[in-house]
Amino acid sequence: MNQPYVIGVDTHLSALPEADHLLRALAAELALPEGSFGCTHLVRGDRPRVALSFAVPSRAVLDAVREWLTVKGYEVSPEAPDAVGRAVLYPGVAELTGTLTVADLLAASAIDRVAVLGAPGEPAPDQPLVTRDHVRPEWRDGALVLTAMPAAGGTLVPFEVPDPTPCCADH
């Protein structure tokens, strides 16, 4: 995307899975064009919550998205809440299923690089990555970076798990 046009969307949600669901539902209703991004952002302070942002490829699409969200009662802002959004919707995300090599993951999606926890440098291009069909990279210094961790059999997995166990779920 040459010049992203960004809009922020405030929510009253406090959990990432619910924010992911809302983001995907809104994107589907908006029928966002190819090349669009949708991110979640953790907002701290007196009212902690998860906000959303959408980056679209044109001013016309941005204006239509803003109008639609406003009519639906969402509080919108002219920018993302911060620069470190967690990408849920991005080019190529639908292709990131099953097990892929790092090179295939990078070639198939908008992800710029993979960083492995506790490891210097980047993983080998032929290293397998088990996506668990849940790949949520984050924006870091203008690059979309997937944080991964070592797993069984010399594979990698995304750091974020698809269905995290809620805190204190066992009591």
Side-chain angles (χ1 to χ4, degrees):
M1 183 180 310
N2 293 337
Q3 168 78 28
Y5 295 91
V6 180
I7 191 168
V9 183
D10 202 354
T11 76
H12 299 287
L13 301 174
S14 60
L16 287 173
E18 287 82 10
D20 285 6
H21 178 74
L22 176 61
L23 187 146
R24 288 191 305 269
L26 292 175
E29 287 187 58
L30 288 161
L32 294 178
E34 183 69 29
S36 297
F37 289 78
C39 296
T40 59
H41 304 262
L42 298 177
V43 179
R44 302 187 193 322
D46 60 343
R47 190 172 65 93
R49 62 200 179 283
V50 182
L52 310 177
S53 69
F54 292 99
V56 296
S58 75
R59 171 66 67 191
V61 172
L62 180 72
D63 291 343
V65 168
R66 179 184 298 110
E67 181 179 336
W68 187 89
L69 289 167
T70 302
V71 166
K72 293 288 186 177
Y74 289 97
E75 183 181 326
V76 298
S77 62
E79 58 190 30
D82 57 39
V84 291
R86 173 184 159 272
V88 175
L89 170 69
Y90 51 93
V93 66
E95 307 304 317
L96 304 183
T97 61
T99 301
L100 304 167
T101 65
V102 169
D104 289 341
L105 176 128
L106 296 174
S109 71
I111 297 172
D112 296 306
R113 65 184 180 87
V114 175
V116 180
L117 288 176
E122 296 183 19
D126 62 346
Q127 176 130 27
L129 187 137
V130 181
T131 68
R132 300 180 295 203
D133 301 341
H134 186 85
V135 181
R136 301 291 188 266
E138 293 182 356
W139 289 104
R140 292 189 205 157
D141 299 323
L144 199 54
V145 180
L146 176 65
T147 301
M149 59 187 180
T155 64
L156 298 173
V157 293
F159 177 72
E160 184 177 325
V161 297
D163 298 309
T165 302
C167 177
C168 307
D170 62 341
H171 12 172

